[in-house]
Amino acid sequence: DVAQWSSGFLSVAGEVFAHLATLQRRRFITERFTAVPVSTEMFYQHFLDFYRQDGFGAMVLMSSGQFNAALGVQQYSITNMPTIQANERINIPAQAGDYRVLQAEATWNMQLNSSLLPIVSPPLLDDPRTTVRGAIIGRIGHYHQAQGLFGTVEVRAEFLQPTFYTGYAPMFLRLYTHLGYASNNAPLQEQWIAFRRLAVGGRPTDLATIPINGLAGTQYGTLHIEHNCSDMLWRALSLPTWKGRGLDISILANLGYYRQQSFATFPRLSEYGEQAFAPSSDLHTELGVGLSRIPSFFSDFVHFRLDLLWGIGRSVLPGNNFGFAVSCTVPLSD
């Protein structure tokens, strides 16, 4: 650390790296276990398109209270290489070559209640559990084998609002929204690909009823809406309870819009068998229900969750518009 104070710090760091990267943004389960010598089916590696990235970089990080910021620069080369265990499909290649990239990032996590906004905060937001989390990430890069700069910017936000109190944890409304823009000359690995939700351990912000690489482009927007109804509906139907609690029922909706305006040369779809990166402007919708606080029976703190989703739109899984996901939760993540 370069400096420290009561609510934060300023630090400088450097890195030298040689690792596998992916066209898609990897999820927790894959980030941690891609090097484990087990079947690729177990950790969903067939969902991903790999390439090698070698380089070095430096960064400055600052944290202060509810805000964090980072500024970093990297120089690296990208090489496409065959995977040891072949996927069910041929990998879509990244744009190989040498890159220099500058990235800036800011994140925040704050309570949005009357103590913060005493004049404009309506009664609905007058709750200490009302929170807003967000991030802004911008990248400017230069590809040595081409002329000019490319750039991307992404905004992520989460809003959590308690709605009705039931005697247990309150019902709540949760909104996630992600927006991204990439310049028309951005290479494929800098564009946006909708990640198909993992059936086990997947994130609720991912789409569950699209093909792998089914949606991609230079512009995107997604919205995840969830209203948790606690276990009121479960108990109203006189269904069995466990230690006095029923299952929480949530109403879910996902929307994803992807638009492709790239100048890049697209992979031949007939060769890769993919829809990704083709010129398109598609909206995909999912509607469904979630069952949470499913007892694990071995711990009162660990529960399971099951999401059931039905897709609407041209990008649904071929012959099947139904998707599901099972995840594990603890009380702090409910």
Side-chain angles (χ1 to χ4, degrees), residues 13-29:
E15 60 179 341
V16 177
F17 54 88
H19 57 72
L20 288 178
T22 59
L23 293 184
Q24 304 81 1
R25 282 169 291 180
R26 288 182 285 175
R27 296 308 189 234
F28 170 82
I29 218 168

mmCIF file of all heavy atoms in Angstrom, residues 13-29:
data_model
loop_
_atom_site.group_PDB
_atom_site.id
_atom_site.type_symbol
_atom_site.label_atom_id
_atom_site.label_comp_id
_atom_site.label_asym_id
_atom_site.label_seq_id
_atom_site.Cartn_x
_atom_site.Cartn_y
_atom_site.Cartn_z
ATOM 1 N N ALA A 13 0.223 -1.814 -7.886
ATOM 2 C CA ALA A 13 0.559 -3.219 -8.089
ATOM 3 C C ALA A 13 1.015 -3.440 -9.521
ATOM 4 O O ALA A 13 0.689 -2.659 -10.430
ATOM 5 C CB ALA A 13 -0.640 -4.107 -7.770
ATOM 6 N N GLY A 14 1.772 -4.486 -9.716
ATOM 7 C CA GLY A 14 2.210 -4.889 -11.043
ATOM 8 C C GLY A 14 1.931 -6.365 -11.260
ATOM 9 O O GLY A 14 1.705 -7.115 -10.297
ATOM 10 N N GLU A 15 1.944 -6.806 -12.499
ATOM 11 C CA GLU A 15 1.657 -8.200 -12.794
ATOM 12 C C GLU A 15 2.379 -8.641 -14.059
ATOM 13 O O GLU A 15 2.629 -7.848 -14.964
ATOM 14 C CB GLU A 15 0.153 -8.414 -12.972
ATOM 15 C CG GLU A 15 -0.446 -7.599 -14.109
ATOM 16 C CD GLU A 15 -1.936 -7.840 -14.292
ATOM 17 O OE1 GLU A 15 -2.445 -8.869 -13.799
ATOM 18 O OE2 GLU A 15 -2.589 -7.012 -14.954
ATOM 19 N N VAL A 16 2.746 -9.901 -14.075
ATOM 20 C CA VAL A 16 3.224 -10.588 -15.268
ATOM 21 C C VAL A 16 2.375 -11.840 -15.384
ATOM 22 O O VAL A 16 2.221 -12.576 -14.399
ATOM 23 C CB VAL A 16 4.723 -10.951 -15.167
ATOM 24 C CG1 VAL A 16 5.164 -11.737 -16.390
ATOM 25 C CG2 VAL A 16 5.565 -9.699 -14.988
ATOM 26 N N PHE A 17 1.800 -12.092 -16.531
ATOM 27 C CA PHE A 17 0.836 -13.179 -16.613
ATOM 28 C C PHE A 17 0.995 -13.975 -17.904
ATOM 29 O O PHE A 17 1.460 -13.463 -18.932
ATOM 30 C CB PHE A 17 -0.594 -12.651 -16.502
ATOM 31 C CG PHE A 17 -0.939 -11.564 -17.478
ATOM 32 C CD1 PHE A 17 -1.426 -11.858 -18.740
ATOM 33 C CD2 PHE A 17 -0.779 -10.221 -17.135
ATOM 34 C CE1 PHE A 17 -1.752 -10.856 -19.641
ATOM 35 C CE2 PHE A 17 -1.086 -9.200 -18.017
ATOM 36 C CZ PHE A 17 -1.577 -9.521 -19.281
ATOM 37 N N ALA A 18 0.611 -15.212 -17.833
ATOM 38 C CA ALA A 18 0.490 -16.125 -18.967
ATOM 39 C C ALA A 18 -0.636 -17.078 -18.605
ATOM 40 O O ALA A 18 -0.459 -17.960 -17.762
ATOM 41 C CB ALA A 18 1.800 -16.867 -19.223
ATOM 42 N N HIS A 19 -1.801 -16.871 -19.175
ATOM 43 C CA HIS A 19 -2.954 -17.656 -18.749
ATOM 44 C C HIS A 19 -3.932 -17.837 -19.894
ATOM 45 O O HIS A 19 -3.828 -17.202 -20.949
ATOM 46 C CB HIS A 19 -3.645 -16.986 -17.560
ATOM 47 C CG HIS A 19 -4.089 -15.577 -17.833
ATOM 48 N ND1 HIS A 19 -5.145 -15.263 -18.646
ATOM 49 C CD2 HIS A 19 -3.610 -14.384 -17.389
ATOM 50 C CE1 HIS A 19 -5.308 -13.948 -18.691
ATOM 51 N NE2 HIS A 19 -4.379 -13.394 -17.941
ATOM 52 N N LEU A 20 -4.906 -18.705 -19.659
ATOM 53 C CA LEU A 20 -5.997 -18.884 -20.594
ATOM 54 C C LEU A 20 -7.054 -17.817 -20.343
ATOM 55 O O LEU A 20 -7.398 -17.532 -19.199
ATOM 56 C CB LEU A 20 -6.627 -20.270 -20.439
ATOM 57 C CG LEU A 20 -5.812 -21.464 -20.936
ATOM 58 C CD1 LEU A 20 -6.568 -22.755 -20.653
ATOM 59 C CD2 LEU A 20 -5.507 -21.344 -22.421
ATOM 60 N N ALA A 21 -7.533 -17.235 -21.404
ATOM 61 C CA ALA A 21 -8.650 -16.299 -21.326
ATOM 62 C C ALA A 21 -9.783 -16.858 -22.193
ATOM 63 O O ALA A 21 -9.610 -17.847 -22.910
ATOM 64 C CB ALA A 21 -8.227 -14.918 -21.811
ATOM 65 N N THR A 22 -10.941 -16.237 -22.109
ATOM 66 C CA THR A 22 -12.090 -16.718 -22.871
ATOM 67 C C THR A 22 -12.812 -15.554 -23.519
ATOM 68 O O THR A 22 -12.798 -14.427 -23.014
ATOM 69 C CB THR A 22 -13.084 -17.477 -21.963
ATOM 70 O OG1 THR A 22 -13.522 -16.600 -20.923
ATOM 71 C CG2 THR A 22 -12.444 -18.706 -21.349
ATOM 72 N N LEU A 23 -13.456 -15.829 -24.650
ATOM 73 C CA LEU A 23 -14.279 -14.796 -25.277
ATOM 74 C C LEU A 23 -15.406 -14.378 -24.340
ATOM 75 O O LEU A 23 -15.795 -13.219 -24.297
ATOM 76 C CB LEU A 23 -14.877 -15.311 -26.593
ATOM 77 C CG LEU A 23 -13.921 -15.605 -27.749
ATOM 78 C CD1 LEU A 23 -14.707 -16.006 -28.991
ATOM 79 C CD2 LEU A 23 -13.036 -14.408 -28.056
ATOM 80 N N GLN A 24 -15.947 -15.326 -23.605
ATOM 81 C CA GLN A 24 -17.009 -15.039 -22.647
ATOM 82 C C GLN A 24 -16.395 -14.653 -21.305
ATOM 83 O O GLN A 24 -15.269 -15.043 -20.997
ATOM 84 C CB GLN A 24 -17.899 -16.274 -22.439
ATOM 85 C CG GLN A 24 -18.514 -16.830 -23.695
ATOM 86 C CD GLN A 24 -17.572 -17.717 -24.491
ATOM 87 O OE1 GLN A 24 -16.433 -17.952 -24.102
ATOM 88 N NE2 GLN A 24 -18.047 -18.207 -25.618
ATOM 89 N N ARG A 25 -17.115 -13.887 -20.518
ATOM 90 C CA ARG A 25 -16.668 -13.600 -19.164
ATOM 91 C C ARG A 25 -16.931 -14.829 -18.301
ATOM 92 O O ARG A 25 -18.073 -15.224 -18.108
ATOM 93 C CB ARG A 25 -17.401 -12.378 -18.611
ATOM 94 C CG ARG A 25 -16.838 -11.066 -19.140
ATOM 95 C CD ARG A 25 -17.733 -9.915 -18.802
ATOM 96 N NE ARG A 25 -18.985 -9.999 -19.551
ATOM 97 C CZ ARG A 25 -19.974 -9.129 -19.456
ATOM 98 N NH1 ARG A 25 -19.869 -8.129 -18.632
ATOM 99 N NH2 ARG A 25 -21.058 -9.264 -20.170
ATOM 100 N N ARG A 26 -15.863 -15.420 -17.797
ATOM 101 C CA ARG A 26 -16.002 -16.674 -17.067
ATOM 102 C C ARG A 26 -16.710 -16.458 -15.739
ATOM 103 O O ARG A 26 -16.603 -15.412 -15.119
ATOM 104 C CB ARG A 26 -14.627 -17.304 -16.844
ATOM 105 C CG ARG A 26 -14.032 -17.879 -18.114
ATOM 106 C CD ARG A 26 -12.706 -18.530 -17.840
ATOM 107 N NE ARG A 26 -11.656 -17.539 -17.629
ATOM 108 C CZ ARG A 26 -10.414 -17.851 -17.275
ATOM 109 N NH1 ARG A 26 -10.081 -19.110 -17.085
ATOM 110 N NH2 ARG A 26 -9.505 -16.917 -17.115
ATOM 111 N N ARG A 27 -17.418 -17.479 -15.318
ATOM 112 C CA ARG A 27 -18.129 -17.441 -14.060
ATOM 113 C C ARG A 27 -17.302 -18.129 -12.981
ATOM 114 O O ARG A 27 -16.345 -18.830 -13.261
ATOM 115 C CB ARG A 27 -19.499 -18.129 -14.201
ATOM 116 C CG ARG A 27 -20.416 -17.403 -15.189
ATOM 117 C CD ARG A 27 -20.517 -15.919 -14.855
ATOM 118 N NE ARG A 27 -21.524 -15.253 -15.642
ATOM 119 C CZ ARG A 27 -21.305 -14.173 -16.369
ATOM 120 N NH1 ARG A 27 -20.089 -13.658 -16.444
ATOM 121 N NH2 ARG A 27 -22.280 -13.593 -17.022
ATOM 122 N N PHE A 28 -17.707 -17.941 -11.745
ATOM 123 C CA PHE A 28 -16.916 -18.402 -10.595
ATOM 124 C C PHE A 28 -16.464 -19.850 -10.744
ATOM 125 O O PHE A 28 -15.308 -20.178 -10.568
ATOM 126 C CB PHE A 28 -17.747 -18.260 -9.314
ATOM 127 C CG PHE A 28 -17.121 -18.917 -8.114
ATOM 128 C CD1 PHE A 28 -16.129 -18.277 -7.394
ATOM 129 C CD2 PHE A 28 -17.508 -20.184 -7.712
ATOM 130 C CE1 PHE A 28 -15.546 -18.869 -6.299
ATOM 131 C CE2 PHE A 28 -16.928 -20.785 -6.617
ATOM 132 C CZ PHE A 28 -15.950 -20.133 -5.909
ATOM 133 N N ILE A 29 -17.389 -20.723 -11.090
ATOM 134 C CA ILE A 29 -17.070 -22.149 -11.081
ATOM 135 C C ILE A 29 -15.992 -22.460 -12.112
ATOM 136 O O ILE A 29 -15.164 -23.346 -11.922
ATOM 137 C CB ILE A 29 -18.357 -22.960 -11.327
ATOM 138 C CG1 ILE A 29 -18.350 -24.218 -10.469
ATOM 139 C CG2 ILE A 29 -18.551 -23.332 -12.754
ATOM 140 C CD1 ILE A 29 -19.672 -24.924 -10.432
#
